PDB file of all heavy atoms in Angstrom:
ATOM      1  N   GLN A  11     133.119 101.655 195.576  1.00 43.00           N
ATOM      2  CA  GLN A  11     131.985 102.200 196.291  1.00 43.00           C
ATOM      3  C   GLN A  11     130.813 101.223 196.269  1.00 43.00           C
ATOM      4  O   GLN A  11     130.609 100.512 195.283  1.00 43.00           O
ATOM      5  CB  GLN A  11     131.536 103.511 195.642  1.00 43.00           C
ATOM      6  CG  GLN A  11     132.454 104.674 195.925  1.00 43.00           C
ATOM      7  CD  GLN A  11     131.962 105.931 195.240  1.00 43.00           C
ATOM      8  OE1 GLN A  11     131.010 105.898 194.487  1.00 43.00           O
ATOM      9  NE2 GLN A  11     132.621 107.036 195.516  1.00 43.00           N
ATOM     10  N   ALA A  33     152.766 102.090 195.843  1.00 90.00           N
ATOM     11  CA  ALA A  33     153.222 102.036 197.236  1.00 90.00           C
ATOM     12  C   ALA A  33     154.737 101.876 197.320  1.00 90.00           C
ATOM     13  O   ALA A  33     155.401 102.522 198.153  1.00 90.00           O
ATOM     14  CB  ALA A  33     152.525 100.883 197.966  1.00 90.00           C
ATOM     15  N   VAL A  53     154.485 106.506 186.319  1.00 90.00           N
ATOM     16  CA  VAL A  53     153.760 106.442 185.055  1.00 90.00           C
ATOM     17  C   VAL A  53     153.511 105.000 184.632  1.00 90.00           C
ATOM     18  O   VAL A  53     152.605 104.704 183.843  1.00 90.00           O
ATOM     19  CB  VAL A  53     154.530 107.204 183.952  1.00 90.00           C
ATOM     20  CG1 VAL A  53     155.757 106.414 183.511  1.00 90.00           C
ATOM     21  CG2 VAL A  53     153.624 107.482 182.745  1.00 90.00           C
ATOM     22  N   ALA A  74     145.503 108.691 191.019  1.00 92.00           N
ATOM     23  CA  ALA A  74     146.263 108.489 192.258  1.00 92.00           C
ATOM     24  C   ALA A  74     147.744 108.723 192.023  1.00 92.00           C
ATOM     25  O   ALA A  74     148.430 109.356 192.853  1.00 92.00           O
ATOM     26  CB  ALA A  74     146.017 107.070 192.780  1.00 92.00           C
ATOM     27  N   SER A 125     131.846  84.632 170.773  1.00 68.00           N
ATOM     28  CA  SER A 125     131.960  83.281 171.322  1.00 68.00           C
ATOM     29  C   SER A 125     130.625  82.805 171.888  1.00 68.00           C
ATOM     30  O   SER A 125     130.248  81.644 171.728  1.00 68.00           O
ATOM     31  CB  SER A 125     133.038  83.242 172.409  1.00 68.00           C
ATOM     32  OG  SER A 125     134.298  83.559 171.883  1.00 68.00           O
ATOM     33  N   ALA A 128     128.376  81.990 168.973  1.00 63.00           N
ATOM     34  CA  ALA A 128     128.800  80.739 168.349  1.00 63.00           C
ATOM     35  C   ALA A 128     128.395  79.541 169.195  1.00 63.00           C
ATOM     36  O   ALA A 128     127.967  78.507 168.673  1.00 63.00           O
ATOM     37  CB  ALA A 128     130.312  80.751 168.138  1.00 63.00           C
ATOM     38  N   ARG A 219     128.286  64.925 148.704  1.00 95.00           N
ATOM     39  CA  ARG A 219     127.981  66.016 147.763  1.00 95.00           C
ATOM     40  C   ARG A 219     127.654  67.304 148.514  1.00 95.00           C
ATOM     41  O   ARG A 219     128.048  68.401 148.078  1.00 95.00           O
ATOM     42  CB  ARG A 219     126.818  65.602 146.862  1.00 95.00           C
ATOM     43  CG  ARG A 219     127.198  64.583 145.789  1.00 95.00           C
ATOM     44  CD  ARG A 219     126.096  64.403 144.777  1.00 95.00           C
ATOM     45  NE  ARG A 219     124.945  63.718 145.354  1.00 95.00           N
ATOM     46  CZ  ARG A 219     124.780  62.404 145.352  1.00 95.00           C
ATOM     47  NH1 ARG A 219     125.705  61.627 144.808  1.00 95.00           N
ATOM     48  NH2 ARG A 219     123.696  61.871 145.884  1.00 95.00           N
ATOM     49  N   ARG A 280     132.758  50.533 152.517  1.00 96.00           N
ATOM     50  CA  ARG A 280     132.317  49.151 152.634  1.00 96.00           C
ATOM     51  C   ARG A 280     131.729  48.973 154.028  1.00 96.00           C
ATOM     52  O   ARG A 280     132.390  49.265 155.027  1.00 96.00           O
ATOM     53  CB  ARG A 280     133.479  48.183 152.424  1.00 96.00           C
ATOM     54  CG  ARG A 280     133.980  48.115 150.996  1.00 96.00           C
ATOM     55  CD  ARG A 280     135.113  47.109 150.876  1.00 96.00           C
ATOM     56  NE  ARG A 280     134.713  45.783 151.357  1.00 96.00           N
ATOM     57  CZ  ARG A 280     135.565  44.776 151.573  1.00 96.00           C
ATOM     58  NH1 ARG A 280     136.873  44.970 151.359  1.00 96.00           N
ATOM     59  NH2 ARG A 280     135.126  43.610 151.996  1.00 96.00           N
ATOM     60  N   ALA A 315     137.102  51.532 179.062  1.00 95.00           N
ATOM     61  CA  ALA A 315     135.756  51.762 178.527  1.00 95.00           C
ATOM     62  C   ALA A 315     134.699  50.928 179.243  1.00 95.00           C
ATOM     63  O   ALA A 315     133.639  51.444 179.620  1.00 95.00           O
ATOM     64  CB  ALA A 315     135.735  51.485 177.025  1.00 95.00           C
ATOM     65  N   GLY A 327     126.961  56.397 182.074  1.00 96.00           N
ATOM     66  CA  GLY A 327     128.234  55.964 181.511  1.00 96.00           C
ATOM     67  C   GLY A 327     129.018  57.113 180.912  1.00 96.00           C
ATOM     68  O   GLY A 327     130.228  57.247 181.141  1.00 96.00           O
ATOM     69  N   ALA A 364     114.115  41.568 159.094  1.00 44.00           N
ATOM     70  CA  ALA A 364     114.973  40.963 158.081  1.00 44.00           C
ATOM     71  C   ALA A 364     116.182  41.841 157.839  1.00 44.00           C
ATOM     72  O   ALA A 364     116.104  43.062 157.873  1.00 44.00           O
ATOM     73  CB  ALA A 364     114.194  40.776 156.781  1.00 44.00           C
TER      74      ALA A 364
END
Side-chain angles (χ1 to χ4, degrees):
Q11 286 179 354
V53 74
S125 297
R219 286 191 290 270
R280 289 181 56 192

